[in-house]
Structures are given as structure tokens and as C-alpha cells.
Coordinates of all heavy atoms in Angstrom, one line a residue:
M1 N 121.6 109.0 74.3 CA 120.4 109.3 73.7 C 119.3 108.2 74.1 O 119.6 107.2 73.9 CB 120.5 109.6 72.2 CG 119.0 109.8 71.8 SD 118.7 110.2 70.0 CE 120.3 110.5 69.2
K2 N 118.2 108.5 74.5 CA 117.3 107.6 75.0 C 116.3 107.2 73.6 O 116.0 108.1 72.9 CB 116.2 108.1 75.9 CG 115.7 107.2 76.8 CD 114.9 108.0 78.0 CE 114.5 107.2 79.1 NZ 113.8 108.0 80.0
S3 N 116.0 105.8 73.6 CA 115.4 105.4 72.3 C 114.4 104.3 72.9 O 114.6 103.8 73.9 CB 116.1 105.0 71.2 OG 116.9 103.9 71.5
S4 N 113.4 104.0 71.9 CA 112.5 102.9 72.1 C 112.5 102.1 71.0 O 112.5 102.6 69.9 CB 111.2 103.6 72.5 OG 110.2 102.6 72.5
E5 N 112.3 100.8 71.2 CA 112.0 99.9 70.0 C 110.8 99.2 70.0 O 110.6 98.2 69.3 CB 113.3 98.8 70.0 CG 114.6 99.4 69.7 CD 115.7 98.5 69.4 OE1 115.3 97.3 69.2 OE2 116.9 98.9 69.5
G6 N 109.9 99.6 70.9 CA 108.6 98.9 71.0 C 107.7 99.3 69.9 O 107.0 100.3 69.8
G7 N 107.3 98.3 69.0 CA 106.3 98.4 68.0 C 106.6 99.3 66.8 O 105.7 99.4 66.1
V8 N 107.8 99.7 66.7 CA 108.2 100.5 65.5 C 109.0 99.6 64.6 O 109.8 98.9 65.0 CB 108.9 101.7 65.8 CG1 109.4 102.6 64.7 CG2 108.2 102.6 66.9
Q9 N 108.6 99.6 63.3 CA 109.4 99.0 62.2 C 109.7 99.9 61.1 O 109.1 100.7 60.6 CB 108.4 97.8 61.7 CG 108.2 96.7 62.7 CD 107.6 95.5 62.1 OE1 106.9 95.6 61.1 NE2 107.6 94.3 62.6
R10 N 110.9 99.6 60.6 CA 111.4 100.3 59.4 C 111.1 99.5 58.2 O 111.2 98.2 58.0 CB 113.0 100.4 59.5 CG 113.5 101.1 58.2 CD 115.0 101.2 58.3 NE 115.3 102.3 59.4 CZ 116.4 102.7 59.6 NH1 117.4 102.3 58.9 NH2 116.6 103.6 60.6
L11 N 110.5 100.1 57.2 CA 109.8 99.5 56.1 C 110.7 100.1 54.8 O 111.1 101.2 54.8 CB 108.4 99.8 55.8 CG 107.5 99.4 56.9 CD1 106.0 99.9 56.5 CD2 107.5 97.9 57.0
S12 N 111.0 99.1 54.0 CA 111.7 99.5 52.7 C 111.0 99.0 51.5 O 110.2 98.1 51.6 CB 113.1 98.8 52.8 OG 113.8 99.1 53.8
A13 N 111.1 99.8 50.5 CA 110.3 99.5 49.2 C 110.9 98.1 48.7 O 112.2 97.9 48.8 CB 110.5 100.5 48.3
P14 N 110.1 97.2 48.2 CA 110.7 95.9 47.6 C 111.8 96.3 46.6 O 111.6 97.3 45.9 CB 109.5 95.3 47.0 CG 108.3 95.9 47.7 CD 108.7 97.3 48.1
P15 N 112.8 95.6 46.4 CA 113.0 94.3 46.9 C 114.1 94.3 48.1 O 115.0 93.7 48.3 CB 113.7 93.5 45.7 CG 114.4 94.6 45.1 CD 113.6 96.0 45.2
H16 N 114.0 95.5 48.9 CA 115.0 95.7 49.9 C 114.9 94.9 51.2 O 115.7 95.1 52.1 CB 115.1 97.3 50.3 CG 115.4 98.1 49.1 ND1 116.6 98.2 48.7 CD2 114.6 99.0 48.4 CE1 116.7 99.0 47.6 NE2 115.3 99.5 47.4
G17 N 113.9 94.0 51.3 CA 113.9 93.1 52.4 C 112.7 93.4 53.3 O 111.9 94.3 53.0
P18 N 112.5 92.5 54.2 CA 111.3 92.6 55.1 C 111.4 93.7 56.2 O 112.6 94.3 56.4 CB 111.4 91.2 55.8 CG 112.8 90.9 55.8 CD 113.4 91.4 54.5
P19 N 110.3 94.2 56.7 CA 110.4 95.0 57.9 C 111.3 94.7 59.0 O 111.5 93.5 59.2 CB 108.9 95.1 58.4 CG 108.1 94.6 57.3 CD 109.0 93.6 56.5
R20 N 111.9 95.6 59.7 CA 112.9 95.3 60.8 C 112.6 96.2 61.9 O 112.2 97.3 61.5 CB 114.3 95.2 60.3 CG 114.8 96.5 59.7 CD 116.2 96.3 59.2 NE 116.8 97.4 58.8 CZ 116.8 98.1 57.7 NH1 116.0 97.7 56.7 NH2 117.3 99.3 57.4
P21 N 113.0 95.9 63.1 CA 112.8 96.8 64.1 C 113.7 98.0 64.1 O 114.7 98.1 63.4 CB 113.3 96.0 65.4 CG 113.2 94.7 65.0 CD 113.4 94.6 63.5
D22 N 113.0 99.1 64.5 CA 113.8 100.5 64.3 C 113.6 101.3 65.7 O 112.7 101.0 66.5 CB 113.0 101.3 63.2 CG 113.9 102.4 62.7 OD1 115.0 102.5 63.1 OD2 113.4 103.1 61.8
A23 N 114.6 102.0 65.9 CA 114.7 103.0 67.2 C 114.0 104.2 66.8 O 114.1 104.7 65.9 CB 116.0 103.2 67.6
V24 N 113.3 104.8 68.0 CA 112.8 106.1 68.0 C 113.3 106.9 69.1 O 113.3 106.3 70.2 CB 111.2 106.0 67.9 CG1 110.5 107.4 68.0 CG2 110.7 105.2 66.8
A25 N 113.7 108.1 68.8 CA 114.3 108.9 69.9 C 113.2 109.3 70.9 O 112.0 109.7 70.4 CB 114.9 110.1 69.3
G26 N 113.5 109.2 72.1 CA 112.5 109.5 73.1 C 112.5 111.0 73.4 O 113.5 111.7 73.2
E27 N 111.3 111.6 73.8 CA 111.2 113.0 74.1 C 110.6 113.3 75.3 O 109.4 112.5 75.6 CB 110.6 113.7 72.9 CG 110.7 115.2 73.0 CD 110.1 115.8 71.7 OE1 108.9 115.6 71.4 OE2 110.7 116.6 71.2
E28 N 111.1 114.0 76.2 CA 110.5 114.4 77.4 C 110.6 115.8 77.8 O 111.4 116.5 77.1 CB 111.2 113.6 78.6 CG 111.2 112.1 78.5 CD 111.9 111.4 79.7 OE1 112.4 112.1 80.6 OE2 112.0 110.3 79.5
P29 N 109.7 116.4 78.6 CA 109.8 117.9 79.0 C 110.9 118.1 79.9 O 111.3 117.2 80.6 CB 108.5 118.0 79.5 CG 108.2 116.7 80.2 CD 108.6 115.7 79.2
L30 N 111.4 119.2 79.8 CA 112.4 119.8 80.9 C 112.1 121.1 81.4 O 111.9 122.1 80.5 CB 113.8 119.8 80.1 CG 114.9 120.3 81.1 CD1 115.3 119.2 82.2 CD2 116.2 120.6 80.3
E31 N 111.8 121.2 82.6 CA 111.6 122.6 83.2 C 112.9 123.2 83.7 O 113.7 122.6 84.2 CB 110.7 122.3 84.4 CG 110.4 123.6 85.1 CD 109.4 123.5 86.3 OE1 108.5 122.7 86.1 OE2 109.7 124.2 87.3
I32 N 113.0 124.4 83.2 CA 114.3 125.2 83.6 C 113.9 126.1 84.7 O 112.9 126.9 84.5 CB 114.8 125.8 82.3 CG1 115.2 124.7 81.3 CG2 116.0 126.7 82.7 CD1 115.6 125.4 79.9
R33 N 114.6 126.1 85.8 CA 114.2 127.1 86.9 C 115.5 127.9 87.2 O 116.6 127.4 87.0 CB 114.0 126.3 88.3 CG 112.7 125.6 88.2 CD 112.4 124.9 89.4 NE 111.1 124.1 89.4 CZ 110.8 123.3 90.3 NH1 111.4 123.3 91.5 NH2 109.5 122.7 90.2
L34 N 115.4 129.1 87.5 CA 116.4 130.1 87.8 C 116.2 130.3 89.3 O 115.3 130.9 89.8 CB 116.4 131.3 87.1 CG 117.6 132.2 87.0 CD1 118.7 131.4 86.5 CD2 117.4 133.3 86.0
G35 N 117.1 129.6 90.2 CA 116.7 129.5 91.6 C 115.5 128.6 91.8 O 115.4 127.5 91.2
A36 N 114.4 129.1 92.5 CA 113.2 128.3 92.8 C 112.2 128.8 91.7 O 111.0 128.2 91.6 CB 112.6 128.6 94.1
E37 N 112.4 129.8 90.7 CA 111.5 130.3 89.9 C 111.6 129.6 88.5 O 112.4 129.5 87.8 CB 111.8 131.9 89.7 CG 110.7 132.5 88.9 CD 109.6 132.8 89.8 OE1 109.6 132.8 91.1 OE2 108.4 132.9 89.3
P38 N 110.3 129.0 88.1 CA 110.3 128.4 86.8 C 110.5 129.4 85.7 O 110.0 130.5 85.7 CB 108.9 127.8 86.6 CG 108.4 127.7 88.1 CD 109.2 128.8 88.9
V39 N 111.3 129.2 84.7 CA 111.6 130.1 83.6 C 111.0 129.5 82.3 O 110.5 130.4 81.5 CB 113.2 130.2 83.5 CG1 113.5 131.1 82.2 CG2 113.8 130.8 84.6
S40 N 111.1 128.3 82.1 CA 110.7 127.7 80.8 C 110.5 126.2 80.9 O 111.0 125.6 81.8 CB 111.6 128.0 79.7 OG 111.3 127.5 78.5
V41 N 109.7 125.6 80.0 CA 109.6 124.3 79.7 C 109.8 124.0 78.3 O 109.2 124.6 77.5 CB 108.2 123.5 80.2 CG1 108.1 122.2 80.0 CG2 108.0 123.9 81.7
T42 N 110.7 123.1 78.1 CA 111.0 122.8 76.6 C 111.0 121.1 76.5 O 111.1 120.5 77.4 CB 112.3 123.3 76.3 OG1 112.6 123.1 74.8 CG2 113.6 122.7 77.0
M43 N 110.7 120.8 75.3 CA 110.9 119.4 75.0 C 112.3 119.0 74.6 O 113.0 119.8 73.9 CB 109.9 118.9 73.9 CG 108.3 119.2 74.4 SD 108.0 118.2 75.8 CE 108.0 116.5 75.2
R44 N 112.9 117.9 75.0 CA 114.2 117.5 74.6 C 114.3 116.0 74.6 O 113.5 115.3 75.2 CB 115.2 118.2 75.4 CG 115.7 117.7 76.7 CD 114.8 116.9 77.6 NE 115.5 116.6 78.9 CZ 114.8 116.0 79.9 NH1 113.6 115.8 79.7 NH2 115.5 115.7 80.9
T45 N 115.2 115.5 73.9 CA 115.7 114.2 74.1 C 116.6 114.1 75.1 O 117.6 114.9 75.3 CB 116.5 113.6 72.8 OG1 115.5 113.6 71.6 CG2 117.0 112.2 72.9
P46 N 116.4 113.3 76.4 CA 117.1 113.5 77.5 C 118.7 113.0 77.2 O 118.9 112.3 76.4 CB 116.5 112.3 78.5 CG 115.1 112.2 77.9 CD 115.2 112.4 76.5
G47 N 119.4 113.9 78.0 CA 120.9 113.8 77.8 C 121.5 115.2 77.6 O 120.9 116.0 76.9
D48 N 122.6 115.4 78.2 CA 123.3 116.9 78.1 C 122.4 117.9 78.5 O 122.4 119.0 77.9 CB 123.7 117.1 76.7 CG 124.9 116.1 76.3 OD1 125.7 115.7 77.2 OD2 125.0 115.8 75.1
D49 N 121.6 117.5 79.5 CA 120.5 118.5 80.1 C 121.2 119.9 80.6 O 120.7 121.0 80.3 CB 119.7 118.0 81.2 CG 118.8 116.9 80.6 OD1 118.5 116.9 79.4 OD2 118.3 116.1 81.5
F50 N 122.3 119.8 81.2 CA 123.1 120.9 81.8 C 123.6 121.8 80.6 O 123.5 123.1 80.8 CB 124.1 120.6 82.7 CG 123.6 119.9 84.0 CD1 124.5 119.0 84.7 CD2 122.3 119.9 84.4 CE1 124.0 118.3 85.7 CE2 121.9 119.3 85.5 CZ 122.7 118.5 86.2
A51 N 124.1 121.2 79.6 CA 124.5 122.0 78.4 C 123.4 122.7 77.8 O 123.4 124.0 77.4 CB 125.3 121.2 77.3
L52 N 122.2 122.1 77.7 CA 121.1 122.6 77.1 C 120.6 123.8 77.9 O 120.4 124.9 77.3 CB 120.0 121.5 77.0 CG 118.7 122.1 76.3 CD1 118.0 120.9 75.5 CD2 117.6 122.6 77.3
V53 N 120.6 123.6 79.3 CA 120.1 124.7 80.1 C 121.1 125.9 80.1 O 120.6 127.2 79.9 CB 119.9 124.2 81.6 CG1 119.7 125.5 82.5 CG2 118.8 123.3 81.7
A54 N 122.3 125.7 80.0 CA 123.3 126.8 80.0 C 123.2 127.6 78.7 O 123.2 128.8 78.6 CB 124.7 126.3 80.1
G55 N 123.0 126.8 77.6 CA 122.9 127.4 76.2 C 121.5 128.2 76.2 O 121.4 129.3 75.6
F56 N 120.5 127.6 76.8 CA 119.2 128.4 76.8 C 119.4 129.7 77.6 O 118.9 130.8 77.1 CB 118.1 127.5 77.5 CG 116.8 128.2 77.7 CD1 115.9 128.3 76.7 CD2 116.6 128.9 78.8 CE1 114.7 128.9 76.9 CE2 115.3 129.5 79.1 CZ 114.4 129.5 78.0
L57 N 119.9 129.6 78.8 CA 120.1 130.9 79.5 C 121.0 131.9 78.9 O 120.6 133.1 78.9 CB 120.6 130.6 81.0 CG 119.7 129.6 81.8 CD1 120.6 129.3 83.1 CD2 118.5 130.3 82.3
L58 N 121.9 131.5 78.2 CA 122.9 132.3 77.4 C 122.0 133.1 76.2 O 122.1 134.2 76.1 CB 124.0 131.7 76.9 CG 125.1 132.5 76.1 CD1 125.7 133.5 77.0 CD2 126.1 131.6 75.3
T59 N 121.3 132.3 75.4 CA 120.7 132.7 74.3 C 119.5 133.6 74.6 O 119.1 134.4 73.9 CB 120.2 131.6 73.4 OG1 119.4 130.8 74.0 CG2 121.4 130.9 72.8
E60 N 118.9 133.5 75.9 CA 117.8 134.2 76.3 C 118.3 135.5 77.1 O 117.5 136.3 77.4 CB 116.9 133.4 77.3 CG 116.2 132.3 76.5 CD 115.2 132.8 75.4 OE1 114.5 133.8 75.8 OE2 115.2 132.4 74.3
G61 N 119.6 135.6 77.2 CA 120.2 136.8 77.7 C 120.1 136.8 79.3 O 120.4 137.8 80.0
L62 N 119.8 135.7 79.9 CA 119.8 135.6 81.4 C 121.2 135.5 82.0 O 121.3 135.7 83.1 CB 118.9 134.5 81.7 CG 117.5 134.5 81.3 CD1 116.6 133.3 81.5 CD2 116.7 135.7 82.0
I63 N 122.2 135.0 81.3 CA 123.6 134.9 81.7 C 124.3 135.6 80.4 O 123.9 135.5 79.3 CB 124.0 133.7 82.1 CG1 124.0 132.6 80.9 CG2 123.3 133.1 83.2 CD1 124.7 131.3 81.2
Q64 N 125.5 136.1 80.7 CA 126.4 136.6 79.6 C 127.6 135.7 79.4 O 128.2 135.8 78.3 CB 126.9 138.1 80.1 CG 125.7 139.0 80.4 CD 124.8 139.2 79.1 OE1 125.3 139.4 78.0 NE2 123.5 139.1 79.3
R65 N 127.9 134.9 80.4 CA 129.2 134.1 80.2 C 128.9 132.9 81.2 O 128.2 132.9 82.0 CB 130.4 134.9 80.4 CG 130.5 135.5 81.8 CD 131.8 136.5 81.9 NE 132.0 136.9 83.2 CZ 131.2 137.8 83.8 NH1 130.2 138.4 83.3 NH2 131.4 138.2 85.0
R66 N 129.8 131.9 81.0 CA 129.9 130.7 81.9 C 130.0 131.0 83.3 O 129.4 130.4 84.3 CB 130.9 129.7 81.4 CG 131.0 128.4 82.0 CD 132.1 127.5 81.4 NE 131.7 126.2 81.8 CZ 132.4 125.5 82.7 NH1 133.4 126.0 83.3 NH2 132.2 124.3 82.9
E67 N 130.8 132.0 83.7 CA 131.1 132.4 85.1 C 129.9 132.9 85.8 O 129.8 132.9 87.0 CB 132.2 133.3 85.2 CG 133.6 132.8 84.8 CD 133.8 132.7 83.2 OE1 133.0 133.5 82.5 OE2 134.6 131.9 82.8
D68 N 128.8 133.3 85.0 CA 127.6 133.8 85.6 C 126.8 132.6 86.3 O 125.9 132.9 87.1 CB 126.6 134.3 84.6 CG 127.2 135.7 84.0 OD1 128.2 136.3 84.8 OD2 126.9 136.1 83.0
L69 N 127.1 131.4 86.0 CA 126.4 130.2 86.6 C 127.2 129.6 87.8 O 128.3 129.3 87.5 CB 126.3 129.2 85.5 CG 125.1 129.2 84.6 CD1 125.1 128.1 83.6 CD2 123.7 129.3 85.3
A70 N 126.6 129.7 88.9 CA 127.3 129.2 90.1 C 127.1 127.6 90.1 O 127.9 126.9 90.7 CB 126.8 129.8 91.3
D71 N 126.0 127.1 89.7 CA 125.5 125.6 89.9 C 124.4 125.3 88.9 O 123.5 126.2 88.7 CB 125.2 125.3 91.4 CG 125.0 124.0 91.6 OD1 125.9 123.2 91.1 OD2 124.0 123.5 92.1
L72 N 124.5 124.1 88.5 CA 123.3 123.5 87.8 C 123.1 122.2 88.4 O 123.9 121.4 88.6 CB 123.7 123.3 86.3 CG 123.7 124.5 85.3 CD1 124.2 124.2 84.1 CD2 122.3 125.1 85.2
G73 N 121.9 121.9 88.7 CA 121.5 120.6 89.3 C 120.1 120.1 89.0 O 119.2 121.0 88.7
Y74 N 119.9 118.9 89.1 CA 118.5 118.3 89.0 C 117.7 118.6 90.2 O 118.2 118.5 91.4 CB 118.7 116.8 88.7 CG 119.0 116.5 87.3 CD1 120.2 115.9 87.1 CD2 118.2 116.7 86.2 CE1 120.8 115.6 85.8 CE2 118.7 116.4 84.9 CZ 120.0 115.9 84.8 OH 120.3 115.6 83.6
C75 N 116.4 118.8 90.1 CA 115.4 119.0 91.3 C 114.7 117.7 91.3 O 113.9 117.4 90.4 CB 114.5 120.2 91.0 SG 115.3 121.6 90.9
P76 N 115.0 116.9 92.3 CA 114.3 115.5 92.2 C 112.8 115.6 92.5 O 112.3 116.6 93.2 CB 114.9 114.8 93.4 CG 115.6 115.8 94.2 CD 115.8 116.9 93.4
D77 N 112.1 114.8 92.0 CA 110.6 114.6 92.1 C 110.3 113.7 93.2 O 110.7 112.5 92.9 CB 109.8 114.4 90.8 CG 108.4 114.3 90.9 OD1 107.9 114.0 92.0 OD2 107.7 114.5 89.9
S78 N 109.8 114.0 94.3 CA 109.6 113.1 95.4 C 108.7 111.8 95.1 O 108.9 110.9 95.6 CB 109.1 113.8 96.7 OG 107.8 114.4 96.4
K79 N 107.7 112.1 94.1 CA 106.7 111.0 93.7 C 107.5 110.1 92.6 O 107.1 109.0 92.5 CB 105.5 111.6 93.1 CG 104.7 112.4 94.2 CD 103.5 112.9 93.5 CE 102.7 113.7 94.6 NZ 101.5 114.3 93.9
H80 N 108.5 110.7 91.9 CA 109.1 110.0 90.8 C 110.6 110.2 90.9 O 111.2 111.0 90.0 CB 108.6 110.3 89.5 CG 107.1 110.1 89.4 ND1 106.4 108.8 89.2 CD2 106.0 111.0 89.4 CE1 105.3 109.0 89.1 NE2 104.9 110.2 89.3
P81 N 111.3 109.7 91.9 CA 112.8 110.0 91.9 C 113.7 109.6 90.8 O 114.7 110.1 90.6 CB 113.2 109.3 93.2 CG 112.2 108.3 93.4 CD 110.9 108.8 92.8
E82 N 113.2 108.7 89.9 CA 113.9 108.3 88.8 C 113.9 109.3 87.7 O 114.8 109.3 86.8 CB 113.4 106.9 88.3 CG 112.2 106.9 87.5 CD 110.8 107.0 88.3 OE1 111.0 107.2 89.6 OE2 109.8 107.1 87.7
L83 N 112.9 110.3 87.7 CA 112.8 111.2 86.7 C 113.8 112.5 86.9 O 113.8 112.9 88.1 CB 111.4 111.7 86.6 CG 110.3 110.7 86.2 CD1 109.0 111.3 86.0 CD2 110.7 110.0 84.8
R84 N 114.4 112.9 85.9 CA 115.2 114.1 86.0 C 114.7 115.2 85.0 O 115.4 115.3 84.0 CB 116.6 113.7 85.8 CG 117.1 112.8 86.9 CD 118.6 112.6 86.8 NE 119.0 112.0 88.1 CZ 120.2 112.2 88.5 NH1 121.1 112.8 88.0 NH2 120.6 111.6 89.7
N85 N 113.5 115.6 85.2 CA 113.1 116.7 84.2 C 112.9 118.0 84.7 O 112.3 118.9 84.0 CB 111.6 116.1 83.8 CG 111.7 114.8 83.0 OD1 112.6 114.5 82.3 ND2 110.5 114.1 83.0
I86 N 113.6 118.3 85.7 CA 113.7 119.7 86.3 C 115.2 120.1 86.4 O 115.8 119.3 87.3 CB 112.9 119.9 87.5 CG1 111.4 119.6 87.3 CG2 112.9 121.4 88.0 CD1 110.5 119.6 88.5
V87 N 115.6 121.1 86.0 CA 117.0 121.6 86.2 C 116.9 123.0 86.8 O 116.3 123.8 86.3 CB 117.9 121.6 85.0 CG1 119.3 122.2 85.2 CG2 118.1 120.1 84.5
R88 N 117.6 123.2 88.0 CA 117.7 124.5 88.6 C 119.1 124.9 88.4 O 120.2 124.5 88.7 CB 117.5 124.2 90.1 CG 117.5 125.5 90.8 CD 117.3 125.4 92.4 NE 118.0 124.4 93.1 CZ 117.3 123.5 93.8 NH1 116.0 123.5 94.0 NH2 117.9 122.4 94.2
A89 N 119.0 126.2 88.0 CA 120.3 127.0 87.8 C 120.4 128.0 88.9 O 119.5 128.7 89.2 CB 120.4 127.7 86.3
T90 N 121.6 128.1 89.4 CA 121.9 129.1 90.4 C 122.9 130.1 89.9 O 123.9 129.7 89.4 CB 122.4 128.5 91.7 OG1 121.5 127.4 92.2 CG2 122.7 129.5 92.9
L91 N 122.6 131.4 90.0 CA 123.6 132.4 89.4 C 124.6 132.7 90.4 O 124.4 132.6 91.6 CB 122.7 133.7 89.1 CG 121.6 133.5 88.0 CD1 121.0 134.8 87.7 CD2 122.3 132.9 86.7
A92 N 125.7 133.0 89.9 CA 126.9 133.6 90.7 C 126.4 134.9 91.3 O 125.6 135.7 90.6 CB 128.1 133.7 89.9
P93 N 127.0 135.2 92.4 CA 126.7 136.7 93.1 C 127.2 137.9 92.2 O 128.1 137.7 91.4 CB 127.4 136.5 94.4 CG 128.1 135.3 94.5 CD 127.8 134.5 93.3

């Protein structure tokens, strides 16, 4: 799970002590593509993206079982290769 500790503090009611740094879960968009066709954009905490996409496709009725998926992979962004915010699903024949 991605998190950030910049400028966030956990506060407790006295006498529980002084403020201390706290982590906040990061959230980023994830575009889901079926082949080259965009299907959806959802917000998520990065991590387990392929499981999220497979579950999304199943619950939306776009696949019926695991064997319906031939491949899941990230679509790199040529301007920002470090980002992995697009997942392409390829259906089995």
C-alpha cells in the first residue's frame, strides 16, 4: 500500500501525548481497458491492480470466469513511464 507522511499529524485528546506523524493512504486513478477500448476509470490505492481489474470485469459481467482472461498488463505512459495507471485486459478467444 502506498502512503504519504508529508505534513499529516495524528492528534490525541490530552493527556494522550503530543501530535505525531501519521500515514495517509495514497489514491490514484486506474483506467481499465478491454483490448484497446477504455471501459472504466476508478480510484484506488495502488497495489493488486490486476486482481482489482479481474474482479471489476467479473462483477460487471464482462467475463464469467478466470479462464475468460488471456492476459492482464500495464499500458506504459511514454511521458511518465514510472506510472502504472492503465491496465489492459485481453480476453481469451
Side-chain angles (χ1 to χ4, degrees):
M1 180 177 345
K2 205 175 196 178
S3 66
S4 171
E5 291 188 16
V8 176
Q9 292 188 338
R10 179 177 291 188
L11 302 175
S12 300
H16 298 288
R20 61 186 191 272
D22 198 2
V24 176
E27 189 175 54
E28 295 180 9
L30 178 68
E31 180 178 319
I32 300 169
R33 294 182 183 175
L34 204 47
E37 193 70 29
V39 173
S40 181
V41 175
T42 186
M43 296 301 290
R44 90 321 185 179
T45 297
D48 293 329
D49 292 336
F50 297 155
L52 185 146
V53 170
F56 175 87
L57 295 174
L58 180 69
T59 59
E60 292 298 314
L62 298 169
I63 63 171
Q64 302 302 312
R65 59 189 189 284
R66 186 174 198 255
E67 294 76 22
D68 292 339
L69 280 175
D71 186 48
L72 288 171
Y74 288 107
C75 298
D77 182 332
S78 60
K79 294 180 183 176
H80 304 284
E82 75 282 2
L83 297 179
R84 293 185 169 211
N85 288 339
I86 302 172
V87 171
R88 179 177 44 230
T90 304
L91 296 181

